[in-house]
Amino acid sequence: VTVKKYLFAPGPTPVPPQVLAAMAEPIVHHRGADFRVVYKRCLERLQEVFRTEQDVLLFAASGTGAMESAVANLLGPGVPVLVISAGSFGERWHALAQAYGCDVDLLGYDWGETPSPEDVAARLSARPAKAVLMTQSETSTGVVSDVRALAAAAREGGALSVVDAISSLGAVPLETDAWGVDVVVSGSQKALMTPPGLAMVSVSERAWAALGTAPRFYYDWETTRVAQGKHDAAFTPAVSLIAGLDVALGMLLETGLEAAFAHHARLGAAAREGAKAMGLELFSPDEERSAVVTAIRSPDGVDSDDLLRLLSSEWGVTLAPGQARLKGRIFRIGHIGWYDVFDITTALAAVELGLDALGADVERGVAVTRALEAYSQSLRV
Ligand SMILES: *Cc1c(COP(=O)(O)O)cnc(C)c1O
């Protein structure tokens, strides 16, 4: 039997039909006039979504490629760097900085904690660093950090701020220029409603003036900046993905970023209220900012991996598992990009059915109602 599929993960996320259609168009040559129009518009739209006047550099890579580009262009062997880590993606920054031989100071938190700007200030005054690597939305835990305050602490401490906004850009506010964030890294497959495969990075004037000497080639920022300035990519760009991203960014900007942020906050509220009504305990913070992914503790006696396997095999529903030390203990409902309230109620209904089938003691028949109430209440305010 073919089961209908429902994707409720925080990346890759569902892609709107208009975007899929744009990617199914015949391939155009990347140095021809047809592509130049799309490339130029897509790069301009990226600046609007990043809220920056600076160029946004575009690479064919998963999001990690853009993270690596930041380390390769700014840091290198022996360069002092402060890494903030409170989950799986903070650990990725840490591993990357170590792979490049940086002199790493780790500001580590328990998974699920929210990093504090005071801690950043204290670390930097004890041990100056060239840059602070941080994560806006720690997708493994559902925590969204106060990037504005963390970036200010970095700046006041004499360091550049480098932000992984891969799951947060387009979902929660990020004012790159207004907040003085030096480097913002993102990817196509989360709130930007495009398949995996494109990575982007914005670079402030301060960061351009502080380029390092580590070896790099494909990810050399200057090479890409010069080529993009002529709308003539340095290497063959992912033409079909860029055609898709252009349409997706057009949709996002037509809705408006503020409306998109409000939409994500509402979906987060609906997910949290629905889960709590069922009697489940949240792992991610019960706060409005936590609008990217809702992490929920598995009830006692239920391995969340068993729940996810059942949801997938029985009903074609994909949620995200707990990673590493949270494996089996939590599950996550993503709500970034092309999601609406009915995706939330479907995900909650599936969780209710699945947990009941596994013998967990859940409150039946209330989660969907409570989620819809939370959603409509937030529409009225
Ligand atoms: C998804 C995600 C990444 C990305 O990685 P890929 O290289 O695209 O797999 C990095 N950081 C965060 C916070 C993410 O959510």
Side-chain angles (χ1 to χ4, degrees):
V1 237
T2 310
V3 238
K4 183 169 175 179
K5 304 277 192 190
Y6 299 87
L7 176 60
F8 301 131
T13 62
V15 174
Q18 302 90 310
V19 176
L20 293 172
M23 291 190 310
E25 290 283 323
I27 301 297
V28 292
H29 193 264
H30 63 290
R31 309 221 182 270
D34 291 348
F35 182 67
R36 257 173 224 270
V37 177
V38 176
Y39 192 37
K40 180 170 183 290
R41 188 175 55 219
C42 186
L43 293 172
E44 286 167 358
R45 286 176 167 167
L46 278 172
Q47 288 177 298
E48 280 189 64
V49 173
F50 274 68
R51 295 198 155 160
T52 182
E53 299 283 316
Q54 299 293 323
D55 295 325
V56 178
L57 310 177
L58 187 54
F59 297 99
S62 85
T64 306
M67 295 170 74
E68 177 154 1
S69 84
V71 175
N73 282 270
L74 292 173
L75 306 173
V79 179
V81 61
L82 177 62
V83 176
I84 307 175
S85 176
S88 173
F89 293 105
E91 288 185 358
R92 186 165 303 181
W93 271 137
H94 188 212
L96 250 168
Q98 283 183 317
Y100 275 78
C102 303
D103 176 12
V104 182
D105 186 15
L106 177 65
L107 174 55
Y109 294 90
D110 276 344
W111 287 36
E113 287 189 333
T114 303
S116 116
E118 291 75 29
D119 292 345
V120 172
R123 281 299 180 102
L124 288 174
S125 67
R127 188 175 159 180
K130 177 170 181 183
V132 180
L133 309 182
M134 64 186 82
T135 312
Q136 184 176 27
S137 155
E138 180 46 84
T139 319
S140 63
T141 66
V143 169
V144 173
S145 290
D146 183 353
V147 155
R148 181 183 202 161
L150 293 172
R155 188 171 55 249
E156 281 151 26
L160 298 167
S161 51
V162 179
V163 177
D164 169 354
I166 294 175
S167 63
S168 50
L169 189 81
V172 297
L174 176 52
E175 301 284 343
T176 301
D177 287 358
W179 295 354
V181 180
D182 291 298
V183 175
V184 173
V185 164
S186 199
S188 52
Q189 81 274 27
K190 308 271 168 96
L192 302 185
M193 305 182 289
T194 303
L198 293 174
M200 46 307 262
V201 55
S202 71
V203 184
S204 71
E205 269 170 38
R206 235 161 55 102
W208 278 117
L211 295 181
T213 55
R216 55 207 185 240
F217 187 80
Y218 178 75
Y219 285 127
D220 184 63
W221 282 350
E222 187 63 21
T223 304
T224 287
R225 190 185 66 80
V226 169
Q228 283 189 185
K230 297 181 281 187
H231 305 113
D232 190 17
F235 312 102
T236 313
V239 289
S240 302
L241 284 171
I242 292 174
L245 181 64
D246 176 48
V247 172
L249 297 177
M251 290 169 69
L252 178 57
L253 291 168
E254 197 189 326
T255 305
L257 285 173
E258 298 304 330
F261 301 152
H263 174 69
H264 285 90
R266 263 180 224 129
L267 296 185
R272 292 192 300 276
E273 292 306 315
K276 288 189 291 182
M278 224 187 294
L280 298 175
E281 204 186 318
L282 298 177
F283 178 81
S284 47
D286 195 357
E287 58 187 28
E288 178 169 314
R289 201 164 69 197
S290 182
V292 169
V293 54
T294 297
I296 300 166
R297 289 183 195 273
S298 205
D300 282 345
V302 177
D303 181 321
S304 59
D305 286 353
D306 291 340
L307 172 68
L308 265 51
R309 258 191 299 276
L310 179 68
L311 296 189
S312 162
S313 62
E314 279 301 306
W315 301 295
V317 169
T318 298
L319 306 182
Q323 294 168 292
R325 67 188 75 169
L326 295 174
K327 188 175 159 48
R329 295 172 45 208
I330 66 164
F331 59 91
R332 295 171 295 142
I333 301 174
H335 30 77
I336 39 173
W338 188 238
Y339 285 88
D340 64 22
V341 70
F342 303 111
D343 294 312
I344 303 295
T345 55
T346 303
L348 290 167
V351 167
E352 180 177 328
L353 273 183
L355 286 175
D356 185 63
L358 292 172
D361 181 21
V362 286
E363 191 75 31
R364 298 296 309 267
V366 291
V368 167
T369 300
R370 186 62 202 110
L372 291 174
E373 278 171 7
Y375 181 79
S376 24
Q377 271 159 14
S378 62
L379 277 182
R380 275 183 229 117
V381 293

